[in-house]
Each structure stands twice: as C-alpha cells, then as structure tokens.
Amino acid sequence: MLEELLTAAAAVGSAGVVYVVSAARVVKQYERGVVFRLGRLAGEVREPGFTMVVPVVDRLHKVNMQIVTMPVPAQEGITRDNVTVRVDAVVYFKVVDAANALVRVEDYRFAVSQMAQTSLRSIIGKSDLDDLLSDREKLNQGLELMIDSPAVGWGVQIDRVEIKDVSLPDTMKRSMARQAEADRERRARVINADAELQASKVLAEAAREMSETPAALQLRLLQTVVAVAAEKNSTLVLPFPVELLRFLEKAQEHPVER
C-alpha cells in the first residue's frame, strides 16, 4: 500500500513538473506577451517576467516594444516643379499596444514600410526641389503625420521620420553648379565694385589733403622710393618734382620776349 502511494505521489509530482515546465513562460523586459486562448484574445497583456499559460489551450505571442529603425527604399518621383528625383528616408517607430499590433494588422512592420513608401512618393509630388533640398525639417514633420495617422489604429507610434538623401539627375547637378558659380561671380563683382567705390572716395580725400599741403606729396614720393629700395632690385627710381612740371608749363604759356 505504501509503495502504491509513493508511486502515485511520484507520478503526480512528475505530472506537475511537466505541467509547470510546459506552462512556464518568461517575457523579457523589452517585450510584452499577448495570450490567445483557443484563438481568442485572453486577459490582459502579460508584463515582463515569469508568467504561466495553459498548455495546448493557450498560445503566447511576444511583441517587441523597442524602437525599430526601418529604412525606406529610395522612391523616384517628379516634384511639383517637374524635376525627377530619388529620395530615401528612415522611419523610427515602436509598438505601444501589443494586442492591437497583433490583432488589427497582419504584419505591422510590413504595413508601416508600405505606408512610408506611399507617403514619401506623395510628399515628393507635393514639394518643390528647393523644399526637398533646404526645408527638410518641414517635410519630415509632414511625413510623420501622414504615416502616424493610420499607424495609431495598429497600436504603433511613429517616433520620427528623416529624409536621408535626395538624388538628382546629372544634368540637373550641372545646371545647379553653373547657377551657383554664376551667383558667386555676381557677388564677387559686386564686392569688387564696392571696394573700388570706397577706395576712390579715400583717394579723392587724400588728393584734396595733398593739394592743400604740397609738402605732403613730396613725403609720399620719398616713401615710395623707400618702399622700392627695400625690394633690393636693379631698378632705379628717380622722382620728378611736380612743381618743376608746373613751372615748365607756365613758362611755355608765357614765353620771355627779347
């Protein structure tokens, strides 16, 4: 009798161990567990840690709650100003409702990817080329709103959308390079003209000062000679007094009568 009791107890213990092993589940910190009992959603979402399910009857699906980085394949389209471009982007999203992510949509990752591609093509058609190149922050916000609207019903939250690169045709790149070169040349000419204007005003003021003080002109000539001599070249510069030229000019106008 005792042996039968021991055998029965051992059998029950073994069955209990097998049941616990088959029913025990561990949900990681970054996961949530969704239980389906005979095909229907059962109870609340299981939190991280140790949990139990009914063997054979229950099915536990683990959903990753981490932020997912999904690259969006390059999409080719025509901008509003009729320029063909290829634009690629990256989407950052996470699951906020594990049950809806499994029940409302067949594959939430694939759904987000397709929605991102469709929204990117739509943004390309609604934007000008200058907006794609310089005003990306505004376009990123528009993309985020377009993707996030349907994703909310799937239990998915769009964290951020970034346009990575805008590829242009080679002919457009050359045209933009010529435009930039012409613009820089125009600015260089304007700067040079402004410098000439400022220099002419300063030279005119200096000429007025020297006309009032002839000795200043002589000092300027001497400074020029010193500057040339400092170069240690073989050229000899002899300044010719301006007063002598004026004297000769006056003598030519009034010749001496004999």
Side-chain angles (χ1 to χ4, degrees):
M1 185 66 180
L2 182 58
E3 292 181 357
E4 293 178 355
L5 291 176
L6 292 176
T7 303
V12 172
S14 300
V17 171
V18 172
Y19 177 83
V20 171
V21 170
S22 60
R25 298 290 187 275
V26 175
V27 180
K28 297 180 181 179
Q29 181 64 39
Y30 54 85
E31 295 176 336
R32 296 296 183 271
V34 180
V35 178
F36 289 93
R37 180 166 297 165
L38 296 178
R40 301 186 62 180
L41 188 65
E44 299 293 334
V45 175
R46 304 296 175 90
E47 296 296 326
F50 180 80
T51 185
M52 298 284 290
V53 297
V54 179
V56 180
V57 177
D58 291 347
R59 298 292 181 183
L60 178 66
H61 295 266
K62 300 177 182 179
V63 180
N64 193 324
M65 308 295 288
Q66 292 175 311
I67 294 178
V68 180
T69 303
M70 175 179 292
V72 181
Q75 302 297 309
E76 185 172 351
I78 300 177
T79 62
R80 191 166 55 182
D81 49 354
N82 298 324
V83 179
T84 303
V85 295
R86 287 177 60 86
V87 183
D88 58 352
V90 59
V91 180
Y92 302 89
F93 67 93
K94 62 181 179 180
V95 177
V96 294
D97 191 331
N100 286 338
L102 291 177
V103 176
R104 296 291 182 87
V105 63
E106 181 180 2
D107 187 345
Y108 66 88
R109 289 175 180 263
F110 181 74
V112 171
S113 176
Q114 294 300 310
M115 180 57 64
Q117 295 179 41
T118 305
S119 301
L120 184 57
R121 286 193 296 267
S122 177
I123 283 292
I124 293 174
K126 296 178 181 178
S127 305
D128 295 330
L129 179 61
D130 292 339
D131 295 335
L132 289 174
L133 297 177
S134 60
D135 197 8
R136 293 189 181 183
E137 189 64 31
K138 181 179 179 180
L139 297 180
N140 293 338
Q141 294 177 359
L143 271 174
E144 182 178 344
L145 290 176
M146 293 178 67
I147 303 173
D148 191 57
S149 297
V152 171
W154 306 335
V156 177
Q157 176 183 342
I158 305 300
D159 189 70
R160 192 170 184 176
V161 182
E162 292 284 348
I163 294 178
K164 293 173 58 178
D165 187 30
V166 179
S167 300
L168 300 175
D170 293 337
T171 55
M172 179 58 64
K173 291 181 181 179
R174 288 193 293 268
S175 299
M176 294 178 66
R178 289 196 299 268
Q179 179 184 0
E181 183 178 357
D183 184 66
R184 289 183 179 275
E185 185 176 357
R186 177 185 62 83
R187 285 187 290 175
R189 290 182 178 180
V190 171
I191 293 173
N192 288 333
D194 186 61
E196 291 291 340
L197 177 61
Q198 295 179 10
S200 63
K201 291 180 180 179
V202 175
L203 289 174
E205 184 178 356
R208 286 193 296 268
E209 293 292 335
M210 289 184 180
S211 64
E212 297 176 0
T213 309
L217 182 59
Q218 298 296 330
L219 293 175
R220 188 71 185 93
L221 289 174
L222 292 176
Q223 290 177 355
T224 304
V225 173
V226 172
V228 173
E231 297 295 332
K232 297 181 181 181
N233 50 30
S234 59
T235 303
L236 180 61
V237 179
L238 295 176
F240 195 82
V242 180
E243 287 78 4
L244 182 58
L245 293 176
R246 292 176 180 173
F247 175 76
L248 294 176
E249 183 180 0
K250 290 180 181 179
Q252 185 177 3
E253 291 177 356
H254 305 283
V256 180
E257 295 182 357
R258 294 183 180 179

